[in-house]
Amino acid sequence: MKKNKFSQTWMHEHINDPYVKLAQREGYRARAAYKLKEIDDQDKLIKAGMVVVDLGATPGSWSQVVREKLVKNGEINGRIVALDMLEMDPIAGVDFILGDFREDEVLDALATKLGGAQVDLVLSDMAPNLTGIPSVDAARIDHVCELALDFAAEHLQKNGALLIKAFHGAGFDDMVKRFRATFKVVQTRKPKASRGKSAEVYLLGRGLK
């Protein structure tokens, strides 16, 4: 009964969410598009000619935003590679790889797509399936963040950047420390499109040490 009530409350909030309505009106696949748009307006992450990798991309709203930023005169000036374990409906000009980026064959597929080019920007709006058990969820969140950080450390060019979704709570301070050990500049972002009562926060690292 509690779960059903929670589901009804969530659905009511979701349907009436102004960003959900805006996404539907403007053709974005999820309200998350506005989180990236706001962060990019502030930090100017996405620039013409960039190679961008979108981890955990499905349904594709962040890839949509990146594509918009890279298009000039109808042509994409740059490369976008999206990865996810779930299928994603195609987006014109976005290369999609289905699979788990922890697996060698998926990384090999990415290397083939990139053709030797280094990555300028790694994005990750991934979140694990949560159980409601704080200790378990903290470990799952930390694991997902760690995977994205490891991936970026290996594939970014020296002045590249990583933007990931994290969550305030156990393990967050350690993740910030790991970011600071990896990047010259580390900042946190809480865009307006991120629900106020949500513990989610975005970590931005720029320039590999």
Side-chain angles (χ1 to χ4, degrees):
M1 189 73 177
K2 264 188 180 176
K3 187 176 180 184
N4 191 40
K5 188 177 179 185
F6 172 80
S7 298
Q8 288 174 351
T9 302
W10 183 89
M11 185 56 72
H12 177 77
E13 289 178 355
H14 184 75
I15 290 170
N16 291 288
D17 186 310
Y19 288 103
V20 172
K21 292 178 178 178
L22 195 58
Q24 291 168 344
R25 195 158 63 241
E26 296 188 341
Y28 291 114
R29 296 178 180 182
R31 68 190 298 287
Y34 299 99
K35 300 174 189 178
L36 180 57
K37 282 168 78 80
E38 186 181 330
I39 293 169
D40 187 63
D41 286 346
Q42 179 177 353
D43 294 291
K44 306 292 185 285
L45 296 174
I46 307 165
K47 298 184 179 76
M50 276 189 159
V51 176
V52 182
V53 173
D54 185 5
L55 299 174
T58 304
S61 63
W62 276 27
S63 287
Q64 285 179 299
V65 172
V66 176
R67 183 186 185 281
E68 280 180 7
K69 300 274 185 179
L70 295 183
V71 166
K72 188 174 182 181
N73 300 324
E75 296 288 323
I76 294 180
N77 182 3
R79 297 280 311 281
I80 310 163
V81 183
L83 295 88
D84 204 295
M85 294 167 68
L86 301 173
E87 284 284 4
M88 185 177 88
D89 290 336
I91 298 171
V94 176
D95 289 319
F96 179 70
I97 298 171
L98 178 66
D100 185 338
F101 69 90
R102 292 170 296 182
E103 295 177 359
D104 289 341
E105 62 188 47
V106 175
L107 289 175
D108 288 345
L110 173 62
T112 301
K113 293 274 189 192
L114 294 175
Q118 284 189 300
V119 179
D120 298 293
L121 176 62
V122 174
L123 302 172
S124 171
D125 196 35
M126 291 187 293
N129 292 323
L130 301 179
T131 63
I133 303 167
S135 59
V136 174
D137 290 345
R140 289 187 178 186
I141 291 163
D142 188 64
H143 182 56
V144 168
C145 292
E146 189 69 53
L147 289 172
L149 182 56
D150 288 347
F151 178 87
E154 191 170 334
H155 292 87
L156 278 177
Q157 54 102 338
K158 191 162 179 56
N159 294 316
L162 168 66
L163 177 69
I164 68 166
K165 174 154 68 182
F167 292 86
H168 275 300
F172 179 74
D173 289 344
D174 285 340
M175 182 53 59
V176 172
K177 284 178 187 171
R178 277 175 262 178
F179 257 67
R180 287 186 175 141
T182 307
F183 295 100
K184 295 173 185 172
V185 178
V186 176
Q187 295 158 311
T188 58
R189 297 286 180 255
K190 178 77 172 178
K192 293 187 185 74
S194 183
R195 291 187 173 102
K197 61 187 177 183
S198 168
E200 78 174 15
V201 63
Y202 288 84
L203 272 174
L204 172 61
R206 308 183 82 156
L208 291 173
K209 283 188 171 178

